[in-house]
Amino acid sequence: MTTSIVRGTCHHDCPDSCGWVATVEDGVAVRLRGNPEHPFSRGELCPKVNRFLDRVYSPDRVLRPLVRDGDKGDGQFRTATWDEALTLVAGRLREAVDRHGGESILGWYSAGNQSVLALSGLSARFLDRIGASVQSGSLCGAVASAGTSEVYGDGRGMDPMDLRHSRFVVLWGTNTRMTNRHLWPFVEEARSRGATVVVVDPLRTITAASADWFVQPLPGTDLALVLSLMHVLVRDDLIDHDYVARHTTGFDDLRTRVEPWTPARAAQVCGLDAGDIERLAHAYGTTRPAAIRVLIGAEHRERGGALFEALASLPLLTGAWRERGGGYARSVGVWSGSAVDEAALGPVPADGSSGRRGRPARRLNMVRLGQSLTDPALDPPVDVLLVWNGNPLVSVPNAELVRRGLAREDLFCVVHEQFVTDTARYADVVLPATTQLEQRDVVASWGHLYLGWNEPAIEPRGEAVSNTELFRRLASAMGFTDPELLATDDELLDAALHRLSPAARRELVADGFTRLPLPQDLRPYAEGGFATADGRARLRAPEYRPAREAPGGDGRFPLVLLTAKSHTRFLNTSYSHLPKHGPAEGRPRLQINEADARARGIVDGDEVRVWNDRGHVRLAAQLTDAVRAGVVCMPFGWWRDQHLSGTSANALTSDAITDLGGGSAFHDTLVDVEPAVRHAPA
Ligand SMILES: Nc1nc2c(c(=O)[nH]1)N[C@H]1C(S)=C(S)[C@@H](COP(=O)(O)OP(=O)(O)OC[C@H]3O[C@@H](n4cnc5c(=O)[nH]c(N)nc54)[C@H](O)[C@@H]3O)O[C@H]1N2
Ligand SMILES: Nc1nc2c(c(=O)[nH]1)N[C@H]1C(S)=C(S)[C@@H](COP(=O)(O)OP(=O)(O)OC[C@H]3O[C@@H](n4cnc5c(=O)[nH]c(N)nc54)[C@H](O)[C@@H]3O)O[C@H]1N2
Ligand code: SF4
Ligand SMILES: [Mo]
């Protein structure tokens, strides 16, 4: 028997990008554990990926091309050869180009695998070559990035690991223990040295339950809270005037704007106690170093960009950026540009014009997939949809509109997947995708400053191919011979990693990780140096406005629906179908406050119907005080058939586009709830 040990990095759309070690016996991976040397994940994976081999070797893996053999959505397929499948796909692509032009083709992708090649490999070059519509917008991260950039000039923030040096940590709209679990030990380390940990969230999450101080504003009202914190900081002169004068602009305007935002006024808007707001402002303004940690949940609101502008402004007012452990910690994806040149993998030339004879591409927002597939006014219509790295029927808002689009008889849909997901069930052709154990890649983390290497541990299972190999095959099937469309993975990796020194590149491969070429003591703004034209940060105190879809109005739908990530064994939509993941989490349950339940005659465990004008979902109710009256929470990530209604959480969510960044306002959704009607069996 031959045994080998192979180092890799988790590919999931997760901030932790853990290092792992696979044990392989005679070509079969038999063990997957955390790499104990990895400085961030320190030898631990998570309850999802501890059982990743179940996913890799699942009997339900798609291992051969599948061609639809039933009605759309039936999930009936026959196997086909790659040759047959590629001939079919290339034929339909050519037909679409001839009939309506390249822009009738749309590629939809998310970050199901966020490694560099899997995410940015050859897809953009291929789509550019055929002149396809270009995906814009974002389900994740662009709103926080845009809001932060308004203030700092770009999205750079703290090294999250520096939270260990903090004395006051505010986890603002992020469920660290669930979604970013390897950061929690750094928070605990700070706490063991006396730090106070505050959570601000409309939902009492497991992280909130572990905090020293839980602040629970009404959903979508945080901006009023931040304006009021600013009001107290200004009123009580907890401002670092030297920092503000030397490194920022806009203080006078900010002072005027926050003047009316007394704690009493914010308390009313946010449903909080005015004394608590005073205390929070004082603790934040007088404890050093103080850090605000944000991630993604709070950006999923119509005014998400404005909230991030305000949050990014707080540490400027107090000069928190001066100390290590102070400032504002968000996704560090932007820092990876110091090592990874993603643009080098894009279309050549990079102006998006090669397949379009000089014209800029039509852009379609990924959040509005349902509309793109169903809008009769869209010219040209979307005739061909290519999906990889994502499961939009579960992850995109207003999902029933997406479903109606996918059900169109005249749509040709190709899905590159590991499983027949809800989206793949609607495909005309499903092409088999490798898992991270089966491909070489490099992972640029958005949760820490280490670049991860991923060496393939096993051969691709069945006839599965990586994302880059998929696009090489599609290019060949189309008869394209342009070398940039057929570049090998090694060529692409060399192009992407040219900024790394040879020594760092050797370390990356040998150890499985290397730190980005950045100072250990990062403190990017201790001495100003923002990425704005004048090097100063732009202080912002945006106007507070409730969302268009917020309580009040005609009152038809009185409850705010949160659809947060709620399961330690799930990563987005990727695990609910696997026996040791989904069933181990039980069934999806609607969290509802006792007062709202009582008013509707609902008792714990009752089957309820949650509905609005976009759709409905049936599931069991869980009475809890984790949500306030007026707020309900349904977990995100379950597939459709795991709910009694055959619809999942995003059937209900708003597809409004955020104020900045082209993101999704998932959490600005109103619903009502009623006991489900039970029909006596005939
Ligand atoms: N209501 C609500 N909706 C949400 C959210 C929420 O909080 N609430 N969160 C949003 C956020 S932040 C995100 S990031 C999205 C995530 O939404 P998605 O990106 O759609 O979900 P994932 O589960 O990350 O990835 C989906 C698929 O990628 C596939 N995949 C993995 N690796 C590869 C590969 O190498 N190649 C190919 N071709 N496929 C691969 C997996 O098999 C999986 O089926 O959901 C968003 N939707
Ligand atoms: N176990 C697990 N881990 C994951 C994932 C997963 O599905 N499961 N998904 C991964 C992905 S793709 C991402 S993007 C990250 C996301 O990581 P997080 O951003 O930490 O997680 P979310 O659940 O999206 O949102 C966090 C919190 O935002 C709150 N929230 C909603 N609206 C508001 C608001 O207006 N104000 C405030 N203050 N809070 C609000 C929600 O109640 C929720 O508890 O997690 C990653 N890690
Ligand atoms: S999903 Fe996240 S926490 Fe789990 S192993 Fe992957 S990177 Fe680590
Ligand atoms: Mo995400």
Side-chain angles (χ1 to χ4, degrees):
M1 185 169 72
T2 58
T3 303
S4 57
I5 301 291
V6 184
R7 287 192 181 78
T9 302
C10 181
H11 63 293
H12 273 307
D13 190 355
C14 170
D16 292 6
S17 298
C18 298
W20 70 34
V21 182
T23 308
V24 183
E25 289 177 1
D26 289 337
V28 177
V30 294
R31 230 173 100 93
L32 188 70
R33 291 289 177 268
N35 178 354
E37 312 297 326
H38 194 279
F40 186 74
S41 54
R42 304 195 276 199
E44 197 212 48
L45 296 174
C46 68
K48 313 150 239 159
V49 173
N50 281 334
R51 296 202 165 92
F52 189 65
L53 296 182
D54 287 4
R55 184 179 177 89
V56 174
Y57 291 109
S58 165
D60 297 333
R61 271 282 297 274
V62 177
L63 297 177
R64 260 163 264 296
L66 302 174
V67 172
R68 179 160 70 89
D69 195 17
D71 290 337
K72 297 236 178 189
D74 271 4
Q76 296 298 315
F77 297 96
R78 63 174 174 84
T79 55
T81 63
W82 265 99
D83 269 351
E84 183 195 353
L86 285 169
T87 305
L88 179 61
V89 174
R92 295 300 292 257
L93 288 170
R94 277 192 218 100
E95 239 174 73
V97 173
D98 291 346
R99 188 174 337 129
H100 288 130
E103 284 177 346
S104 62
I105 298 163
L106 175 65
W108 193 99
Y109 62 97
S110 175
N113 184 334
Q114 60 174 358
S115 313
V116 172
L117 295 186
L119 188 60
S120 315
L122 289 167
S123 52
R125 290 183 185 172
F126 176 77
L127 293 172
D128 182 67
R129 178 68 172 76
I130 57 178
S133 291
V134 166
Q135 169 167 293
S136 65
S138 157
L139 293 178
C140 181
V143 185
S145 173
T148 306
S149 301
E150 284 295 315
V151 179
Y152 298 164
D154 67 16
R156 288 172 307 140
M158 282 173 68
D159 176 354
M161 280 166 69
D162 275 350
L163 288 180
R164 55 158 54 125
H165 301 293
S166 303
R167 287 293 174 276
F168 196 76
V169 180
V170 190
L171 303 171
W172 201 302
T174 176
N175 189 0
T176 312
R177 287 193 57 202
M178 167 93 61
T179 60
N180 189 189
R181 58 185 288 127
H182 297 93
L183 183 64
W184 185 252
F186 295 90
V187 175
E188 285 286 15
E189 189 183 332
R191 207 184 206 177
S192 71
R193 288 197 242 125
T196 301
V197 178
V198 186
V199 166
V200 183
D201 200 306
L203 177 67
R204 197 184 63 226
T205 60
I206 55 168
T207 309
S210 313
D212 301 301
W213 187 352
F214 173 40
V215 179
Q216 190 174 26
L218 291 167
T221 63
D222 301 56
L223 181 53
L225 174 58
V226 184
L227 295 174
S228 186
L229 297 178
M230 289 174 170
H231 171 101
V232 178
L233 294 175
V234 171
R235 185 198 67 196
D236 296 349
D237 199 22
L238 300 172
I239 302 294
D240 182 337
H241 291 287
D242 176 61
Y243 192 92
V244 166
R246 288 202 288 141
H247 303 309
T248 74
T249 54
F251 181 67
D252 290 341
D253 183 50
L254 178 139
R255 186 169 45 199
T256 313
R257 286 165 167 274
V258 304
E259 223 280 314
W261 279 101
T262 60
R265 179 175 170 196
Q268 213 161 26
V269 172
C270 306
L272 295 174
D273 179 79
D276 281 343
I277 298 178
E278 296 267 358
R279 277 188 288 282
L280 182 59
H282 273 261
Y284 177 70
T286 58
T287 317
R288 308 189 77 102
I292 296 172
R293 166 65 174 174
V294 295
L295 214 57
I296 305 298
E299 80 166 37
H300 286 148
R301 316 217 65 114
E302 288 177 23
R303 297 267 291 146
L307 175 60
F308 280 86
E309 288 179 74
L311 287 171
S313 296
L314 278 174
L316 300 171
L317 293 175
T318 58
W321 279 113
R322 291 181 191 273
E323 295 106 22
R324 195 162 184 193
Y328 167 76
R330 58 170 301 265
S331 160
V332 290
V334 52
W335 285 108
S336 65
S338 60
V340 182
D341 182 1
E342 289 203 23
L345 304 180
V348 188
D351 62 357
S353 68
S354 48
R356 304 177 186 84
R357 298 180 192 81
R359 282 180 301 117
R362 171 170 77 173
R363 298 168 70 79
L364 295 173
N365 190 317
M366 71 188 295
V367 175
R368 286 285 180 83
L369 178 63
Q371 200 188 35
S372 299
L373 296 179
T374 56
D375 181 357
L378 196 69
D379 182 22
V382 175
D383 292 335
V384 177
L385 177 69
L386 303 176
V387 179
W388 70 100
N389 261 1
N391 185 4
L393 186 47
V394 182
S395 60
V396 166
N398 200 358
E400 284 307 287
L401 193 63
V402 177
R403 194 194 60 74
R404 287 200 283 280
L406 291 175
R408 262 175 47 200
E409 275 307 323
D410 60 342
L411 177 76
F412 186 74
C413 175
V414 181
V415 176
H416 183 228
E417 252 300 350
Q418 298 161 356
F419 290 88
V420 180
T421 60
D422 282 357
T423 308
R425 286 177 76 88
Y426 281 83
D428 295 280
V429 175
V430 183
L431 298 170
T434 42
T435 68
Q436 190 76 339
L437 281 196
E438 300 152 59
Q439 59 207 14
R440 178 169 294 111
D441 216 328
V442 62
V443 182
S445 171
W446 47 285
H448 55 72
L449 299 178
Y450 293 85
L451 198 61
W453 183 251
N454 187 67
E455 193 62 24
I458 59 172
E459 291 294 315
R461 289 207 57 215
E463 296 175 14
V465 303
S466 67
N467 295 2
T468 44
E469 179 60 14
L470 169 75
F471 286 99
R472 281 189 290 265
R473 290 189 184 191
L474 287 173
S476 298
M478 293 294 286
F480 299 149
T481 52
D482 321 45
E484 68 270 17
L485 300 180
L486 303 171
T488 64
D489 285 3
D490 286 343
E491 288 167 345
L492 294 168
L493 283 171
D494 285 343
L497 297 179
H498 66 87
R499 288 175 186 150
L500 271 190
S501 70
R505 181 95 184 253
R506 277 195 301 276
E507 181 180 279
L508 172 66
V509 176
D511 296 351
F513 58 86
T514 185
R515 194 169 188 277
L516 297 177
L518 297 167
Q520 284 296 333
D521 178 0
L522 192 65
R523 284 191 298 156
Y525 308 128
E527 299 294 335
F530 294 91
T532 52
D534 62 1
R536 289 161 179 250
R538 300 177 284 244
L539 284 165
R540 290 285 160 82
E543 186 194 344
Y544 171 75
R545 283 193 305 275
R548 277 159 296 170
E549 191 157 335
D554 64 11
R556 276 207 311 143
F557 298 110
L559 302 172
V560 180
L561 174 70
L562 302 173
T563 45
K565 294 149 182 113
S566 309
H567 297 302
T568 54
R569 288 186 188 78
F570 288 10
L571 195 291
N572 300 333
T573 74
S574 290
Y575 286 100
S576 70
H577 63 297
L578 293 179
K580 289 187 189 145
H581 292 82
E585 294 283 0
R587 304 283 294 175
R589 309 248 276 169
L590 180 80
Q591 293 181 288
I592 182 168
N593 184 280
E594 208 155 316
D596 293 320
R598 205 179 319 114
R600 291 165 176 77
I602 294 166
V603 299
D604 193 63
D606 264 4
E607 184 185 325
V608 294
R609 178 173 175 271
V610 188
W611 90 100
N612 59 22
D613 289 334
R614 288 179 289 266
H616 75 280
V617 178
R618 275 166 64 168
L619 71 179
Q622 176 186 14
L623 270 56
T624 173
D625 60 2
V627 287
R628 304 173 56 139
V631 184
V632 290
C633 180
M634 187 184 299
F636 157 70
W638 295 90
W639 291 8
R640 293 155 53 84
D641 63 6
Q642 291 156 337
H643 301 81
L644 301 162
S645 47
T647 51
S648 58
N650 275 319
L652 298 160
T653 50
S654 163
D655 59 2
I657 302 293
T658 53
D659 52 354
L660 297 174
S664 170
F666 293 108
H667 300 309
D668 283 317
T669 290
L670 292 176
V671 295
D672 204 352
V673 180
E674 64 184 7
V677 182
R678 262 173 265 242
H679 299 286

